[in-house]
Amino acid sequence: MPDVIFNGPEGRLEGRYHHSKQASAPIALMLHPHPQHGGTMNNKVVYTLFHAFVRQGFSVLRFNFRGVGRSQGSFDRGEGELSDAAAALDWLQSYNQSAAGCWIAGFSFGAWIGMQLLMRRPEISSFVSVAPPANMYDFSFLAPCPSSGLIIQGDKDDVVPEAAVSKLVTKLSSQRGITIDYRVVPGAGHYYQDEMELLEGHVNDYLSKAVTPEETKSAAR
């Protein structure tokens, strides 16, 4: 899993990248939690998401937002971080021009950024959002939500209450043609300290069912 450095809007961005052996394998971008609250690309939830996609045959990138680790720049309240995510996706696509599909996954703050990127990049076919902070940020931009996806939430989360996420899921699920697979993890707090295997199992199960036949064939070739 090589370290990578690529150009972002405010300087260099640091990442970790797994390249599939299959030229047309689907791609996936992972986004980490809030930079000002200790969020990095090495967060355990992000690391778990990363390897779940690797196991499904994806080429996968996780990276540090500006001002985190060796990434240059400073925190920009989400606006700059969205630009960082767009630059990361550009880099990922440049190395996978024959990719059969494109996914995005994020945790907490990263889920909020990921859903915004989903609205701006029509090539993103699906998403995985863990603990999207619906109590802290406005998700009304998802009108309509362009893709179906997976949302995972712990029922003991004291940072993002399950009720706020459930309300978001209800709104998204009411949109025509959109299917949200909503999975509540019993006993899980915000960081899934003792429930990481349950989280991983849900992601693995969803990917095994939701990855399209074209993506599956490309990853298996």
Side-chain angles (χ1 to χ4, degrees):
M1 188 197 314
D3 296 352
V4 294
I5 298 290
F6 55 93
N7 292 326
E10 291 296 319
R12 295 187 303 274
L13 294 172
E14 171 192 20
R16 300 285 186 277
Y17 175 60
H18 168 83
H19 187 71
S20 173
K21 295 179 181 179
Q22 309 305 325
S24 58
I27 58 175
L29 178 66
M30 312 287 107
L31 302 178
H32 69 71
H34 204 293
Q36 294 191 315
H37 298 287
T40 78
M41 66 177 172
N42 295 321
N43 170 273
K44 289 184 178 179
V45 172
V46 176
Y47 183 87
T48 297
L49 291 171
F50 182 95
H51 285 282
F53 278 92
V54 167
R55 281 191 295 274
Q56 290 292 330
F58 283 69
S59 289
V60 193
L61 173 67
R62 70 184 198 267
F63 75 99
N64 281 328
F65 288 123
R66 58 184 63 194
V68 178
R70 292 189 292 160
S71 290
Q72 295 178 322
S74 57
F75 180 67
D76 192 32
R77 301 166 301 161
E79 296 176 14
E81 288 71 25
L82 178 57
S83 296
D84 293 344
L89 184 57
D90 288 342
W91 182 90
L92 185 56
Q93 289 175 318
S94 72
Y95 278 89
N96 297 274
Q97 296 184 16
S98 300
C102 179
W103 286 57
I104 193 158
F107 169 41
S108 196
F109 173 86
W112 179 57
I113 298 296
M115 298 302 274
Q116 292 181 72
L117 189 63
L118 177 72
M119 293 295 294
R120 290 160 172 77
R121 300 294 286 263
E123 67 270 29
I124 299 176
S125 55
S126 194
F127 66 89
V128 175
S129 289
V130 179
N135 60 320
M136 301 178 190
Y137 298 102
D138 184 6
F139 281 78
S140 63
F141 58 83
L142 292 168
C145 182
S147 302
S148 297
L150 170 67
I151 295 179
I152 301 176
Q153 178 65 30
D155 70 352
K156 302 300 182 185
D157 193 326
D158 60 358
V159 177
V160 178
E162 190 275 329
V165 179
S166 179
K167 185 176 179 181
L168 172 63
V169 170
T170 298
K171 288 183 178 180
L172 297 181
S173 298
S174 68
Q175 297 179 15
R176 182 178 298 176
I178 296 300
T179 300
I180 303 298
D181 188 334
Y182 183 44
R183 306 195 184 190
V184 177
V185 181
H190 192 63
Y191 297 101
Y192 295 84
Q193 289 95 331
D194 298 318
E195 291 78 24
M196 201 64 68
E197 288 187 8
L198 290 174
L199 172 69
E200 183 177 10
H202 283 304
V203 176
N204 288 337
D205 179 67
Y206 184 77
L207 291 179
S208 67
K209 296 174 181 176
V211 174
T212 67
E214 291 76 14
E215 291 169 337
T216 302
K217 289 176 183 176
S218 297
R221 285 194 189 114

